[in-house]
């Protein structure tokens, strides 16, 4: 509904050159790029005045009938002659929530703008001042009726995307919408049953992955790494001084909680990337730090060479070894001459593996983690030291039900996780093949001297009937992870 209202204000199809100033990032959150491309426009992020001037002089100044949509934030300087040439629109909270106090909305660190829009449409009172807006957001926005309507709206959008022959960009959008649904349901705001939608999403995703995942690495990395192992390549093309923060095990749903502690103190560009499969730390996180696929690595299931692979990658890019940092935790001390920093945060993964209360408990742990402010402090220190910050995860997580442990496998097995198993090629795999709810993964990007088996749907190699939070499989929740670029406001 918010996105439909937004589209009406953009004059798509009526004018050829449109420049939108996205004051509160509502256009980004409504996936305006997909809308614009579908309408036949070229889409451009306005990130640098000189860069856009070059594009304008060479492609637009003396040309007519070219449809271009430019998206900029409020901080960017737009030259007067370009303003005059374009149809300019400012989009922000004041555009849609004129009866609410905008300062209160921003201070409340709203993540679910579309839920706010639904609550606003269902509010029949008059104009609210600052304190009244705070109370409205705190007490009314997440009411059961509003939350259920929000889940229905997102579910409808997901089902439309599922029938559109989705590519990887559409799966990013589906993963984002699905994470928002899970966020609302797992926090108890909505009582909607989403099990059927879970099966639809992950059933179609599994078929798509088995058909398309093998060619995913061939996609260009202009907007995001696409796959997490290309993170270093993406960063090296954009930054001379950068910090990569990898929050082990963080799903998009977890990120919805974490980013509230950062917003609005920082400016964030949110995108996504695909984990490596099986979606476990030794495979996917090491792929991030090494910048290479698992098939090219000597030790598939170990992490002892992760640091040396990180240093090796950046030395090959022309950095000296004392320019390069690798460390763990929020309180890392970077040498003054550091130009490239890789930082691992284990708190989310630790909460997952010690979790006894399922997704609800996971949400509580991540909320407490965010409130401690350690991620804010780390980001603030890095920004003050003039680092470009990139934040991602090696894999997400999923609440799963145990189907029984696999035991007595002997020395021919690598026990990888509670959702994945790997067997040396000559091992007897008859037992695992006979288990309902387990399928063989073709091993794309992996060494061929192993056979790989994953749990289907939300099943896990745990005590039968036990609910756990884990990873390793092929679900949307585990495979598609956030990829965030952060800078100072």
């Amino acid at each position: 509904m918010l996105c439909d209202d937004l589209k009406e204000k953009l004059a798509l199809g009526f004018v050829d050159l449109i420049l939108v100033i996205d004051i509160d990032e509502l256009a980004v959150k409504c996936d305006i790029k997909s809308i614009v491309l579908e309408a036949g426009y070229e889409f451009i992020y306005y990130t640098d005045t000189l860069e856009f001037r070059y594009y304008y002089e060479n492609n637009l100044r003396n040309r007519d009938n070219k449809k271009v949509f430019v998206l900029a934030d409020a901080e960017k300087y737009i030259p007067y002659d370009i303003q005059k040439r374009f149809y300019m629109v400012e989009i922000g909270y004041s555009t849609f929530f004129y009866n609410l106090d905008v300062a209160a909305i921003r201070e409340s660190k709203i993540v679910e703008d579309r839920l706010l829009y639904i609550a606003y449409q269902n509010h029949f009172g008059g104009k609210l001042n600052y304190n009244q807006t705070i109370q409205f957001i705190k007490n009314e926005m997440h009411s059961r009726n509003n939350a259920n309507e929000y889940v229905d709206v997102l579910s409808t959008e997901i089902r439309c995307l599922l029938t559109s022959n989705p590519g990887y960009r559409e799966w990013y959008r589906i993963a984002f919408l699905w994470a928002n649904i899970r966020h609302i349901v797992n926090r108890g705001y909505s009582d909607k049953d989403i099990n059927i939608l879970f099966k639809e999403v992950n059933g179609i995703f599994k078929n798509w992955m088995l058909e398309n995942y093998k060619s995913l690495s061939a996609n260009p990395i202009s907007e995001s790494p696409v796959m997490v192992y290309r993170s270093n390549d993406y960063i090296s093309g954009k930054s001379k001084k950068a910090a990569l923060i990898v929050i082990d095990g963080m799903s998009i749903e977890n990120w919805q909680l974490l980013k509230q502690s950062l917003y609005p103190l920082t400016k964030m560009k949110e995108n996504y990337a695909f984990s490596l499969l099986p979606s476990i730390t030794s495979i996917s996180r090491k792929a991030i730090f090494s910048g290479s696929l698992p098939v090219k690595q000597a030790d598939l299931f170990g992490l002892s060479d992760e640091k040396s692979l990180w240093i090796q990658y950046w030395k090959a890019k022309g950095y000296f070894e004392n320019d390069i940092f690798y460390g763990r935790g929020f309180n890392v001390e970077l040498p003054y001459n550091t130009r490239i920093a890789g930082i691992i945060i284990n708190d989310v993964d630790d909460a997952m593996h010690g979790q006894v209360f399922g997704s609800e408990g996971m949400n509580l742990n991540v909320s407490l983690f965010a409130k401690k402010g350690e991620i804010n402090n780390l980001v603030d220190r890095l920004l003050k030291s003039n680092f470009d910050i990139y934040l991602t995860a090696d894999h997400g997580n999923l609440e799963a039900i145990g189907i029984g442990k696999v035991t007595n496998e002997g020395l021919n097995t690598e026990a990888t996780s509670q959702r994945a198993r790997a067997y040396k090629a000559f091992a007897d795999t008859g037992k695992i093949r006979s288990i309902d709810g387990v399928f063989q993964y073709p091993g794309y990007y992996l060494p061929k001297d192993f056979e790989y088996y994953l749990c289907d749907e939300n099943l896990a190699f745990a005590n039968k009937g036990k609910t756990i939070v884990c990873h390793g499989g092929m679900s949307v929740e585990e495979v598609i992870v956030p990829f965030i670029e952060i800078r100072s406001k």
Side-chain angles (χ1 to χ4, degrees):
M1 296 165 66
L2 172 62
C3 298
D4 291 338
D5 203 351
L6 173 65
K7 283 190 286 186
E8 289 182 9
K9 298 184 184 301
L10 298 182
L12 288 172
F14 295 97
V15 292
D16 290 342
L17 302 180
I18 303 172
L19 195 157
V20 171
I21 310 298
D22 194 11
I23 298 171
D24 293 301
E25 301 180 355
L26 295 179
V28 171
K29 292 172 184 176
C30 281
D31 191 27
I32 196 63
K33 181 176 181 179
S34 296
I35 296 168
V36 166
L37 292 175
E38 187 177 340
Y41 286 77
E42 181 180 354
F43 182 91
I44 298 173
Y45 281 113
Y46 188 107
T47 57
D48 181 86
T49 303
L50 292 177
E51 184 179 301
F52 186 77
R53 169 63 70 185
Y54 181 83
Y55 170 86
Y56 176 78
E57 296 296 338
N58 286 277
N59 297 280
L60 293 179
R61 178 177 285 280
N62 299 313
R63 295 191 185 183
D64 295 321
N65 302 320
K66 188 175 179 68
K67 298 173 72 173
V68 177
F69 184 99
V70 179
L71 185 66
D73 61 49
E75 299 163 5
K76 290 293 182 290
Y77 167 70
I78 312 292
Y80 180 73
D81 64 316
I82 291 176
Q83 292 186 40
K84 294 293 289 183
R85 182 78 188 277
F86 279 77
Y87 170 71
M88 284 187 62
V89 188
E90 285 194 355
I91 298 293
Y93 287 130
S94 60
T95 313
F96 303 101
F97 305 104
Y98 36 83
N99 279 336
L100 300 181
D101 186 276
V102 171
I105 298 175
R106 290 174 181 150
E107 188 174 308
S108 297
K109 303 179 182 179
I110 297 296
V111 172
E112 302 130 344
D113 293 306
R114 297 211 284 179
L115 175 57
L116 176 63
Y117 186 83
I118 288 170
Y120 178 69
Q121 296 296 314
N122 292 337
H123 174 72
F124 299 105
K127 192 171 182 65
L128 304 183
N129 61 27
Y130 175 88
N131 289 329
Q132 290 169 329
T133 299
I134 292 289
Q135 291 304 310
F136 173 78
I137 291 169
K138 184 178 179 180
N139 299 324
E140 291 187 42
M141 189 176 87
H142 288 94
S143 73
R144 182 57 51 83
N145 287 339
N146 289 335
N148 283 345
E149 185 177 344
Y150 179 57
V151 170
D152 286 341
V153 168
L154 298 190
S155 299
T156 298
E157 185 174 347
I158 286 174
R159 288 191 165 104
C160 287
L161 288 167
L162 290 175
T163 59
S164 68
N165 190 26
Y168 75 89
R169 290 187 181 90
E170 286 72 32
W171 279 113
Y172 287 166
R173 182 66 179 171
I174 292 167
F176 166 76
L177 296 169
W178 178 234
N180 277 272
I181 289 176
R182 292 184 64 86
H183 174 68
I184 290 295
V185 172
N186 287 333
R187 298 195 77 185
Y189 297 128
S190 170
D191 60 359
K192 287 282 185 176
D193 186 345
I194 59 173
N195 288 320
I196 293 175
L197 185 58
F198 170 85
K199 290 180 181 294
E200 289 177 23
V201 168
N202 279 306
I204 295 172
F205 184 64
K206 174 187 172 183
N207 292 334
W208 185 90
M209 288 283 287
L210 291 173
E211 178 66 28
N212 298 282
Y213 185 66
K214 61 181 178 291
S215 58
L216 204 56
S217 62
N219 286 285
I221 60 169
S222 56
E223 298 166 21
S224 81
V226 183
M227 300 184 74
V228 292
Y229 87 95
R230 298 296 304 277
S231 296
N232 289 353
D233 295 341
Y234 182 84
I235 293 168
S236 67
K238 289 183 172 289
S239 301
K240 298 299 182 185
K241 184 176 182 179
L244 173 63
I245 302 173
V246 178
I247 302 183
D248 199 310
M250 177 184 66
S251 67
I252 302 175
E253 181 184 352
N254 301 151
W255 170 242
Q256 300 307 303
L257 291 167
L258 280 178
K259 74 178 179 181
Q260 293 181 63
S261 65
L262 292 170
Y263 178 83
L265 302 176
T266 59
K267 192 76 174 175
M268 295 180 285
K269 178 185 173 185
E270 298 185 59
N271 218 313
Y272 307 93
F274 282 71
S275 171
L276 272 298
L277 289 177
S279 50
I280 61 175
T281 299
S282 59
I283 289 177
S284 198
R285 196 182 79 193
K286 192 162 70 171
I288 294 174
F289 281 95
S290 68
S292 63
L293 290 166
V295 70
K296 297 181 179 180
Q297 296 168 19
D299 182 6
L300 183 62
F301 299 109
L303 287 166
S304 60
D305 56 348
E306 185 177 64
K307 179 179 179 179
S308 62
L309 290 170
W310 168 255
I311 294 171
Q312 178 182 310
Y313 176 93
W314 290 106
K315 285 178 69 175
K317 290 292 183 180
Y319 290 83
F320 296 109
E321 188 160 344
N322 61 2
D323 295 332
I324 307 165
F325 177 86
Y326 169 96
R328 299 169 182 268
F330 295 106
N331 298 317
V332 289
E333 293 294 335
L334 275 62
Y336 76 93
N337 58 321
T338 300
R339 294 171 58 206
I340 291 292
I343 302 170
I344 297 167
I345 304 297
N346 283 320
D347 295 57
V348 172
D349 198 61
D350 291 343
M352 180 202 323
H353 290 296
Q355 192 53 247
V356 294
F357 297 109
S359 293
E360 184 178 348
M362 192 69 192
N363 270 315
L364 178 60
N365 284 137
V366 174
S367 294
L368 292 172
F369 165 43
K371 287 177 182 178
K372 287 173 68 178
E374 292 176 307
I375 185 70
N376 309 55
N377 294 336
L378 174 59
V379 166
D380 185 57
R381 285 195 293 121
L382 291 169
L383 290 174
K384 286 178 178 176
S385 296
N386 299 315
F387 282 92
D388 296 334
I389 300 175
Y390 300 85
L391 186 151
T392 191
D394 51 350
H395 57 77
N397 59 78
L398 177 75
E399 182 180 285
I401 306 296
I403 55 173
K405 293 183 177 181
V406 181
T407 57
N408 300 322
E409 297 174 291
L411 299 176
N412 294 327
T413 303
E414 295 286 348
T416 52
S417 82
Q418 290 172 295
R419 294 259 295 157
R421 308 293 284 178
Y423 292 76
K424 292 180 181 177
F426 53 83
D428 181 5
T429 57
K431 185 174 182 179
I432 195 135
R433 287 174 179 273
S434 68
I435 300 174
D436 290 336
V438 176
F439 67 97
Q440 186 172 3
Y441 169 60
Y444 303 133
Y445 311 120
L446 295 167
K448 299 304 180 186
D449 51 348
F450 286 89
E451 290 184 13
Y452 307 91
Y453 294 86
L454 306 180
C455 285
D456 208 354
E457 296 185 346
N458 62 334
L459 305 176
F461 298 121
N463 292 333
K464 198 163 187 176
K466 183 180 180 181
T467 299
I468 62 171
V469 180
C470 55
H471 59 91
M474 196 186 279
S475 72
V476 167
E477 293 92 328
E478 297 161 287
V479 172
I480 302 180
V481 296
F483 186 87
I484 316 299
E485 299 175 49
I486 302 175
R487 65 181 188 273
S488 297
K489 268 220 168 177

